[in-house]
Amino acid sequence: MDAGEIIVAQPSPRLYKSLTFRRIATKERTVPQDEEMKIRSPRFQDESLTAPFILDKKARSKAPTVVLGFECLESTAFNGIATNLVVYLETLLHGSNLASASNVTTWFGTSYLTPVFGAIIADTFWGNYNTILVSLVFYLLGMMLVTFSAFLPTTALCTVVGSSCQQPLLGAQTIAFLGLYLVAFGSGGVRAALLPFGADQFDDDNTADRERKMSFFSWFYICVDFGMIVSGLFIVWIQQNVSWGLGFGIATACIALAFGGFVLATPMYKRRMPTGTPIKSLAQVVVAACRKARLRVPADTTLLYEVHDKINQSKIAHTDQFGFLDKAAVVMESDLEEESNDVAADASWRICTVTQVEELKILLRLLPIWATSIVLSAAYAQLNTTFVQQGAAMNMRIMSFTIPPASMVSFEVLCVLAWVLMYSSVIVPMLNSLSLANGEPSQLQRMGAGRLLMAFAMAVAALVEMMRLDAAGRGESLSIAWQMPQYFALAGAEVFCYIAQLEFFYSEAPESMKSMCTSLALLTVALGSYMSSFIYAVVNAFTAVDGRPGWISDNLNEGHLDYFFWVMAALCTLNFVVYSAFARTYRVKLVVS
C-alpha cells in the first residue's frame, strides 16, 4: 500500500480523487518512498519531515538516570515540607487540629490538581522539557518563601470565618501559604511533565529499550519513595529537634540542586515537540458524530475512514463500544467534496479517522476507573493528616527512641519497598502455582487489590483508635508501634494501586495525550484530598453540635476518630464494588501497524 493511501470500500475514481484532495487541503503530507528513505538517514536534518523529536548524539542512555536522580531530589524537597506540614501548622502557626488537617489536604489537592494544567501546556505549547524548566522557577521560589516563614514571629491563626483577629500583612502565615501554593504550582508542572519526559528517552522500536522503559516506571516510584524516607527520617527529625527553618532549608537546597543538575544535563535529552491540543481532535469527533446522527454505521468496520501513512504513528484498532461515535468515521462523498474550498477547510469537523474516534473512546472508558481512584485517594490522604494526629496522641517512645508521628510515614515507605519485593518474589509465584492467574496479574486486577487493601487499612486504623481510646480511659498511653499494621496495609494499597495506575494510564493514553493522561492519574490525588477536606467539614458539621467536641476534636481523647475511620472503611469497600463492575467490562487499547 502506498504512503498516504486511504482505506475506502471500492472507491469510485471521483471519490478517490476527493479523498486525495482532502489530504492536500488539510495539509496532511504524503511522502514518496525515496524521500522517506532520506528522512530515515541520520544525515537528513530537515525537522519539518522528521519525527517530532530533537535528537542529540551525546550519552542518550544516561538521560533516564538523570531523570531518576532528579526525582529523588524533588521528592525529598516536596516531602520535606509535606510530611510534617500538619505539625508545623499546629505548633508554629497555632492552627487547630481540624483547621490544620483541612489546610493540608486542600494544599495537597492543589498540588495534584495543577499537573492537569501543566500537562495541557506541555502537550500543546511548550513540550515537557520547557514545562519542567519554567515550573522549577516557581518551585524554588515557593520553597524559599516557606523556609523564610519559619524564621518569622507568629500569631494565632484565625480559624473562625468572620472573626476580627488581625494578621500582619507579611506575617509568617501569609508568607508560608504564599510559598506553599507557589510550590503547589511548581511541583504540578514538574509532575505533569517529568514522568512522560523520562519515558520519552527510550526508543520503542528497540526491544531492550522497551523492557527498560517498563522497569523505569517502578524505579521512578521507588525514587518518589526515597524522598519520603529521607524527609521522614532525617528532615522531620531536624524540624522537630533542631530548627524548622533548617529543615525547610535542606529541602530547598535539594530542589536547587535538582534544578541545576537538570539544566546541566540538557545535551543528553531527547525532546518531543508539542503536537498541538488534543482537545480539538476530540471535539471534532463529537461534532462529526452529531452531524451524522441519522446515519447507520456499516456492519463492515473496515469501511470506516482511516488514513495510513508509513511515517505516522501506529493506529488504534476499532472497538464496538460507544457505537454512536463511530458515525464520525462513516465516509460520505459530501464529506470530501472538492468543488468547494469551504467544505475542504471544514472537512476535519465532518469526518474523523477511526484512530481519532478510538482516542475519545479510550478517555470515556478510563473515566469510571479514574473516578473510583478519587475515593481511594481520599482515604490515602489520611497518611499525612489523621494518621499523624493519631500518632501524636500516643506514646511516641519505641524502646529507647522517640519517634515523631510524621516519621511513621518513612516506615510506610519501607513497607512499600517490602511489598514490591513480596509482589515479585512471593505473590506472583504463589498465584501461578495455584493457577489463579496466567502470569502476572493485569494492571486492572492490581488496582482492584489496592482498593480492597485500602478498605482494610482504614478498618485497622479504626481498631487501633478504639484500643487507644480504651487505654486513655484507663489513664494509659498506647504505643505508637500499634500504628505499624495500618501503615503496612496502606503501603500495600499504594503498591497495588498507584504504580499500576501510572502504568495503566500511560499505556492506554493516545500518543498525543501522554502527559495529559498521566496528569489525570495524579488528578485523582488532588480530588481525593479535596474530598477528604469535604468529609472533614461534613463530619464536623454533624458531630460537633450542642457543645460536643465532634469526632475529630483538638483533644482526640474527647472525640471519636475511630468512627471516622470506620466511615472511610465503608466508603472504600463500596468503592471497590463499583470499581469491580467497571473493570470487568473494560476493553484494553489495541494498537495495530
Side-chain angles (χ1 to χ4, degrees):
M1 184 175 292
D2 294 331
E5 187 176 345
I6 303 170
I7 297 177
V8 180
Q10 299 178 349
S12 66
R14 182 175 181 275
L15 182 55
Y16 182 82
K17 185 177 180 182
S18 298
L19 292 170
T20 305
F21 173 79
R22 179 181 182 272
R23 295 294 308 280
I24 297 173
T26 57
K27 299 183 181 180
E28 294 185 11
R29 303 191 60 173
T30 59
V31 184
Q33 186 175 2
D34 58 340
E35 185 175 341
E36 183 181 352
M37 295 301 294
K38 186 180 179 184
I39 290 173
R40 293 181 179 179
S41 171
R43 299 174 59 187
F44 190 80
Q45 299 297 324
D46 186 356
E47 290 183 7
S48 66
L49 291 175
T50 55
F53 287 102
I54 298 175
L55 301 178
D56 197 281
K57 298 179 181 180
K58 293 184 179 180
R60 183 64 44 74
S61 61
K62 296 181 181 179
T65 305
V66 173
V67 171
L68 294 176
F70 176 95
E71 178 54 29
C72 285
L73 291 170
E74 187 276 331
S75 178
T76 301
F78 182 83
N79 288 289
I81 286 181
T83 303
N84 214 20
L85 182 59
V86 69
V87 178
Y88 178 66
L89 296 180
E90 290 175 1
T91 55
L92 239 65
L93 300 187
H94 310 296
S96 67
N97 276 359
L98 185 63
S100 297
S102 181
N103 283 328
V104 170
T105 52
T106 301
W107 176 74
F108 261 104
T110 304
S111 299
Y112 285 90
L113 175 64
T114 50
V116 175
F117 303 103
I120 294 173
I121 292 172
D123 282 339
T124 308
F125 304 108
W126 292 352
N128 289 324
Y129 174 83
N130 291 329
T131 301
I132 294 171
L133 208 59
V134 173
S135 299
L136 281 171
V137 175
F138 291 96
Y139 204 153
L140 181 58
L141 178 59
M143 295 289 292
M144 294 170 65
L145 289 176
V146 173
T147 302
F148 181 60
S149 72
F151 294 99
L152 295 177
T154 60
T155 56
L157 276 174
C158 298
T159 58
V160 180
V161 177
S163 66
S164 60
C165 177
Q166 299 295 318
Q167 296 292 334
L169 182 61
L170 294 177
Q173 293 86 357
T174 303
I175 298 297
F177 280 101
L178 176 60
L180 285 171
Y181 281 92
L182 282 174
V183 169
F185 280 97
S187 64
V190 171
R191 284 195 185 96
L194 187 62
L195 180 61
F197 179 73
D200 284 344
Q201 306 310 308
F202 298 94
D203 182 6
D204 285 335
D205 294 330
N206 184 290
T207 303
D209 257 17
R210 284 200 301 270
E211 294 176 356
R212 291 175 58 218
K213 184 176 180 178
M214 294 312 297
S215 64
F216 172 79
F217 287 97
S218 296
W219 279 109
F220 188 90
Y221 206 86
I222 288 173
C223 290
V224 174
D225 288 339
F226 171 83
M228 297 179 69
I229 292 175
V230 172
S231 61
L233 293 178
F234 179 58
I235 296 179
V236 166
W237 186 88
I238 290 177
Q239 288 168 346
Q240 298 212 213
N241 295 278
V242 181
S243 166
W244 283 97
L246 179 59
F248 289 152
I250 293 173
T252 302
C254 287
I255 200 63
L257 182 60
F259 195 169
F262 183 80
V263 173
L264 290 175
T266 296
M268 298 181 183
Y269 302 138
K270 177 196 293 184
R271 286 188 271 165
R272 181 186 294 272
M273 300 302 292
T275 55
T277 175
I279 299 176
K280 180 180 178 181
S281 175
L282 302 178
Q284 287 171 343
V285 174
V286 175
V287 172
C290 291
R291 283 180 168 181
K292 298 178 180 178
R294 296 178 180 273
L295 297 181
R296 296 184 62 182
V297 178
D300 185 1
T301 57
T302 61
L303 300 180
L304 297 176
Y305 178 63
E306 183 63 283
V307 176
H308 292 268
D309 193 324
K310 290 182 180 180
I311 65 170
N312 276 355
Q313 296 167 342
S314 299
K315 309 304 177 184
I316 303 176
H318 175 266
T319 60
D320 55 6
Q321 291 178 315
F322 308 108
F324 173 80
L325 297 176
D326 289 335
K327 296 182 179 183
V330 175
V331 179
M332 298 175 59
E333 286 199 35
S334 60
D335 295 328
L336 308 165
E337 193 69 32
E338 66 178 357
E339 284 79 12
S340 171
N341 288 333
D342 292 337
V343 172
D346 191 45
S348 60
W349 293 89
R350 292 178 178 273
I351 186 168
C352 301
T353 65
V354 171
T355 295
Q356 278 182 276
V357 174
E358 290 301 320
E359 287 176 348
L360 179 55
K361 289 183 180 181
I362 287 171
L363 294 184
L364 294 177
R365 283 195 293 265
L366 284 174
L367 187 60
I369 303 295
W370 172 83
T372 60
S373 297
I374 298 174
V375 177
L376 177 93
S377 296
Y380 184 77
Q382 309 315 310
L383 175 69
N384 293 103
T385 53
T386 52
F387 277 22
V388 176
Q389 292 170 340
Q390 182 188 46
M394 303 173 80
N395 180 4
M396 289 179 279
R397 290 192 65 84
I398 299 179
M399 294 187 291
S400 60
F401 299 97
T402 299
I403 308 297
S407 291
M408 291 296 290
V409 174
S410 297
F411 172 76
E412 190 267 349
V413 175
L414 293 175
C415 291
V416 166
L417 301 179
W419 273 102
V420 170
L421 295 175
M422 287 172 52
Y423 175 76
S424 59
S425 61
V426 178
I427 296 176
V428 172
M430 182 180 68
L431 291 176
N432 288 333
S433 65
L434 295 175
S435 300
L436 295 179
N438 295 321
E440 184 177 353
S442 69
Q443 294 162 346
L444 287 168
Q445 289 171 335
R446 286 152 57 193
M447 288 191 288
R451 283 157 172 77
L452 194 59
L453 274 172
M454 186 62 76
F456 179 70
M458 293 297 106
V460 173
L463 292 173
V464 170
E465 181 63 13
M466 291 173 66
M467 294 171 58
R468 192 197 66 80
L469 288 173
D470 185 60
R474 300 193 306 268
E476 301 173 359
S477 182
L478 192 69
S479 172
I480 197 172
W482 281 99
Q483 279 194 311
M484 289 181 176
Q486 69 198 55
Y487 279 105
F488 183 76
L490 190 82
E494 182 179 348
V495 168
F496 277 95
C497 190
Y498 284 121
I499 295 179
Q501 183 169 284
L502 285 175
E503 294 177 13
F504 181 70
F505 276 76
Y506 184 87
S507 62
E508 288 293 294
E511 287 298 320
S512 62
M513 300 178 65
K514 294 294 186 184
S515 296
M516 184 174 295
C517 286
T518 303
S519 69
L520 286 177
L522 297 174
L523 180 61
T524 62
V525 180
L527 298 180
S529 295
Y530 290 137
M531 182 179 180
S532 180
S533 295
F534 175 74
I535 293 173
Y536 293 152
V538 171
V539 166
N540 188 61
F542 281 93
T543 62
V545 294
D546 299 329
R548 290 179 292 179
W551 289 357
I552 309 176
S553 64
D554 289 341
N555 184 353
L556 292 184
N557 293 335
E558 298 176 356
H560 266 292
L561 191 59
D562 54 333
Y563 293 171
F564 171 78
F565 286 138
W566 283 122
V567 169
M568 295 303 298
L571 282 175
C572 290
T573 302
L574 178 62
N575 186 60
F576 169 75
V577 173
V578 174
Y579 167 83
S580 299
F582 286 108
R584 287 194 193 97
T585 59
Y586 189 88
R587 298 282 298 276
V588 178
K589 179 181 75 172
L590 177 62
V591 177
V592 294
S593 298

